[in-house]
Amino acid sequence: MKKYVCKLCGWVYDPALGDPDNNVPAGTPFEKIPDDWVCPVCGAEKEEFEAEN
């Protein structure tokens, strides 16, 4: 599964870790995160993330 990086603050969403503080369990691919989820660091919306190369 690909990691995704926030274009605004640089925080990386790693599907292996998920975002347990915001109810996204480990193993959740970025595409399966709810659309209303936001970056836990800066509050950017999901559309502000891009796949890491």
Side-chain angles (χ1 to χ4, degrees):
M1 288 186 279
K2 285 186 179 182
K3 294 179 182 178
Y4 282 74
V5 63
C6 177
K7 294 185 283 186
L8 301 182
C9 75
W11 184 79
V12 176
Y13 175 76
D14 183 345
L17 303 175
D19 182 12
D21 292 340
N22 292 295
N23 300 316
V24 179
T28 303
F30 188 78
E31 296 80 6
K32 298 289 183 180
I33 297 173
D35 289 336
D36 61 353
W37 175 86
V38 296
C39 177
V41 174
C42 73
E45 295 182 2
K46 199 174 164 186
E47 62 200 28
E48 295 297 333
F49 280 74
E50 62 186 5
E52 230 180 22
N53 292 331

